[in-house]
Amino acid sequence: MEVIKYKSTRGGQEVVDASYAILKGLADDGGLYMPEKFPKFDFKFKELMHKGYKETAYEVMKLLLSDYTKEELMNCIEKAYDDKFDTKEIAPLVKADGAYFLELFHGDTIAFKDMALSILPHLLTTAAKKNGIKNKIVILTATSGDTGKAAMSGFCDVEGTGIIVFYPKDGVSNVQRLQMVTQKGDNTDVVAIHGNFDDAQSGVKKIFADKEFAKKLEESGIQLSSANSINIGRLVPQIAYYVYAYLKLLANGDIDDNEKIDVCVPTGNFGNILAAYIAKQMGLPVNKLICASNENKVLFDFFENGVYDRNRKFILTSSPSMDILISSNLERLIYLSCGCDGEYVKKLMQELAKGGKYTVTPAMKDFMKDFVGGYADEKKNFAGIKSLYDSTGYIIDTHTGVAYSVYQDYKNATKDMTATVIASTASPYKFADSVLEAILGEKQKMGDFEVIDKLHEMGAPDIPRAILEIKDAPVRHTRECDSADMQKEVEDILFNNRR
């Protein structure tokens, strides 16, 4: 099997193995790791179409994580996709209103982040052994609501690791907040910041880039890594579920072998849709990648005019995991679009850091023609959720609602009737208040858990364990800080606190 090596999108580091890239999270030059080339799938879809999720994940991931042995990788997969998921299928495909909703929310924290963050701790600890690392690995991550809980759940009490999560105090749903602040584990810490997700993400990147701080940590036997989608160990597992969805369509007779599909993804940090794009590069028959944004439509504008401009008002919406103006993973697509010119990517990222914008060349924009941008404001999102419920009884969350609304607009405008997989990224229970408001037409005067019970009455599936667990769970994490003081908070946790 071909050995795949990784290099930084900013060109400043030697090529490394997959396990080293996963261990580091972010390259030393601030760039993101990317494979030197995309291997092609070495299987026929018909051969795999009746296989389970674990077998599919292995066949996909082995190609990109080529320095992991079969035993190592299968061990990671077995530990990740177990009974923490409430369905044996792991990622069921549900047909409603002519589209296929890929339900990625059946894990511990009822959001799509579980699909990758269930396996990342095992990939990371395996990588540490492979690379002879004796240091304690501390995961430092920013979250717009879902990554934080999923990462903490995955790393909870994993030997030799710790995890610190920063989230925007006023930028997550109450259920998301409760899931984080009640998190158990002697190695978990959560900090609310006074700012938005972009502030949290920028603060984390700044800490990673501080060489003096890294030296101080090293002297204490600690090294940082990331659980954000900037870590290639987050991105690779996500490729698997698009392949799995295709195999299910094939097995169910919804498509013919090698027939192309469209994929529509609610998008914030650009990792989830990038995974679908990489699947296409590896041989998955994908036609269009429909990038669905909410009112923070920085990606929609980018695909329309080739200008990435974060200089705009930050809007808090009912789809908070998409309330992002700096889509970190877009850097990986930029890197590919300019012929993997690390120096050029570095120049654009410096422009973004200094002036908040950059412009791609016409050739780079043409390279991205597989992507179609669309966006849905709050009114359109709520109308889409209600329309789908009224016509089919199927209940979706507010992020999936954005994708569904954008898909409807795309289909109406283009008359493209290609079979379409919509990434359903969170359980409706996670944003029950907004979902109920969308369906009933007005905000309900109920408590969080009354709203959840009402949603269940209206036809949502069984209330997940993740919701039931937080109902009476004690709050364990109360830290908060200004975004400028994030490093001080990390130092306090690591050097003066419980550890």
Side-chain angles (χ1 to χ4, degrees), residues 45 61 87 98 113 155-156 162 173 178 181 187 196 288 299 313 337 342 365 393 405 435 459 478 492:
F45 298 117
M61 291 170 62
T87 169
K113 308 292 173 75
F155 281 94
C156 175
S173 77
L178 284 171
V181 299
N187 65 339
N196 59 40
K288 288 296 181 184
L299 286 167
K313 183 182 177 184
S337 72
K365 189 171 185 301
S405 299
V435 171
T478 57
D492 187 48

Side-chain angles (χ1 to χ4, degrees), residues 119-234:
I119 193 169
L120 181 61
H122 307 295
L123 292 174
L124 195 65
T125 50
T126 302
K129 289 174 188 169
K130 291 172 77 65
N131 287 272
I133 300 299
K134 300 287 192 265
N135 286 347
K136 178 175 185 173
I137 299 165
V138 173
I139 306 301
L140 185 62
T141 201
T143 185
S144 55
D146 290 334
T147 286
K149 170 60 181 177
M152 285 189 291
S153 178
F155 281 94
C156 175
D157 290 330
V158 171
E159 192 176 346
T161 71
I163 180 164
I164 303 170
V165 171
F166 290 95
Y167 74 94
K169 184 180 179 183
D170 298 318
V172 299
S173 77
N174 197 41
V175 168
Q176 286 177 311
R177 185 188 66 80
L178 284 171
Q179 283 189 305
M180 287 188 280
V181 299
T182 60
Q183 174 64 47
K184 297 175 184 175
D186 291 336
N187 65 339
T188 64
D189 275 282
V190 191
V191 185
I193 71 153
H194 310 142
N196 59 40
F197 170 73
D198 290 330
D199 297 324
Q201 184 167 248
S202 296
V204 165
K205 285 184 175 180
K206 189 176 177 184
I207 294 168
F208 271 107
D210 189 325
K211 305 296 184 216
E212 284 301 311
F213 187 49
K215 186 179 176 184
K216 182 178 178 181
L217 292 174
E218 178 68 31
E219 288 168 356
S220 301
I222 296 169
Q223 71 183 68
L224 297 179
S225 189
S226 173
N228 275 86
S229 55
I230 55 176
N231 192 317
I232 198 71
R234 272 278 304 275

Side-chain angles (χ1 to χ4, degrees), residues 389 395 429 450-461 463:
Y389 176 74
I395 300 176
Y429 287 115
E450 288 177 293
V451 170
I452 284 164
D453 289 338
K454 179 66 175 175
L455 206 58
H456 186 229
E457 282 174 29
M458 293 175 63
I463 299 171

Side-chain angles (χ1 to χ4, degrees), residues 344-370:
Y344 190 70
V345 174
K346 188 176 177 181
K347 173 180 168 290
L348 293 184
M349 293 307 119
Q350 286 171 343
E351 289 177 16
L352 181 65
K354 288 177 184 173
K357 64 187 288 191
Y358 61 81
T359 302
V360 299
T361 66
M364 290 167 71
K365 189 171 185 301
D366 185 62
F367 180 93
M368 303 176 200
K369 61 181 179 293
D370 290 343

Side-chain angles (χ1 to χ4, degrees), residues 272-287:
N272 202 2
I273 196 166
L274 183 68
Y277 176 77
I278 293 173
K280 176 172 181 170
Q281 303 313 302
M282 294 175 72
L284 193 68
V286 173
N287 178 36

Side-chain angles (χ1 to χ4, degrees), residues 169-408:
K169 184 180 179 183
D170 298 318
V172 299
S173 77
N174 197 41
V175 168
Q176 286 177 311
R177 185 188 66 80
L178 284 171
Q179 283 189 305
M180 287 188 280
V181 299
T182 60
Q183 174 64 47
K184 297 175 184 175
D186 291 336
N187 65 339
T188 64
D189 275 282
V190 191
V191 185
I193 71 153
H194 310 142
N196 59 40
F197 170 73
D198 290 330
D199 297 324
Q201 184 167 248
S202 296
V204 165
K205 285 184 175 180
K206 189 176 177 184
I207 294 168
F208 271 107
D210 189 325
K211 305 296 184 216
E212 284 301 311
F213 187 49
K215 186 179 176 184
K216 182 178 178 181
L217 292 174
E218 178 68 31
E219 288 168 356
S220 301
I222 296 169
Q223 71 183 68
L224 297 179
S225 189
S226 173
N228 275 86
S229 55
I230 55 176
N231 192 317
I232 198 71
R234 272 278 304 275
L235 197 55
V236 171
Q238 291 178 286
I239 299 166
Y241 50 70
Y242 291 110
V243 177
Y244 183 73
Y246 189 87
L247 297 176
K248 292 303 108 185
L249 289 173
L250 193 57
N252 294 338
D254 294 309
I255 57 171
D256 294 325
D257 195 16
N258 290 311
E259 181 181 337
K260 287 190 174 183
I261 63 169
D262 288 341
V263 176
C264 182
V265 186
T267 311
N269 221 14
F270 203 71
N272 202 2
I273 196 166
L274 183 68
Y277 176 77
I278 293 173
K280 176 172 181 170
Q281 303 313 302
M282 294 175 72
L284 193 68
V286 173
N287 178 36
K288 288 296 181 184
L289 295 136
I290 305 165
C291 180
S293 299
N294 65 16
E295 286 178 73
N296 292 289
K297 57 187 182 70
V298 64
L299 286 167
F300 169 77
D301 292 339
F302 172 72
F303 285 119
E304 285 290 293
N305 57 35
V307 178
Y308 193 93
D309 186 355
R310 65 174 173 84
N311 298 310
R312 61 185 71 203
K313 183 182 177 184
F314 184 92
I315 303 167
L316 292 172
T317 74
S318 63
S319 48
S321 298
M322 299 162 67
D323 291 346
I324 293 172
L325 295 180
I326 304 174
S327 301
S328 287
N329 276 290
L330 186 63
E331 180 173 335
R332 288 184 159 115
L333 182 64
I334 297 296
Y335 173 72
L336 295 173
S337 72
C338 67
C340 304
D341 183 342
E343 283 301 315
Y344 190 70
V345 174
K346 188 176 177 181
K347 173 180 168 290
L348 293 184
M349 293 307 119
Q350 286 171 343
E351 289 177 16
L352 181 65
K354 288 177 184 173
K357 64 187 288 191
Y358 61 81
T359 302
V360 299
T361 66
M364 290 167 71
K365 189 171 185 301
D366 185 62
F367 180 93
M368 303 176 200
K369 61 181 179 293
D370 290 343
F371 290 88
V372 179
Y375 77 96
D377 61 18
E378 292 286 84
K379 185 177 178 183
K380 182 175 283 188
N381 183 9
F382 279 29
I385 293 168
K386 177 174 172 55
S387 166
L388 185 64
Y389 176 74
D390 287 346
S391 61
T392 68
Y394 187 57
I395 300 176
I396 55 176
D397 88 292
T398 45
H399 301 74
T400 310
V402 168
Y404 174 70
S405 299
V406 167
Y407 163 67
Q408 291 292 342

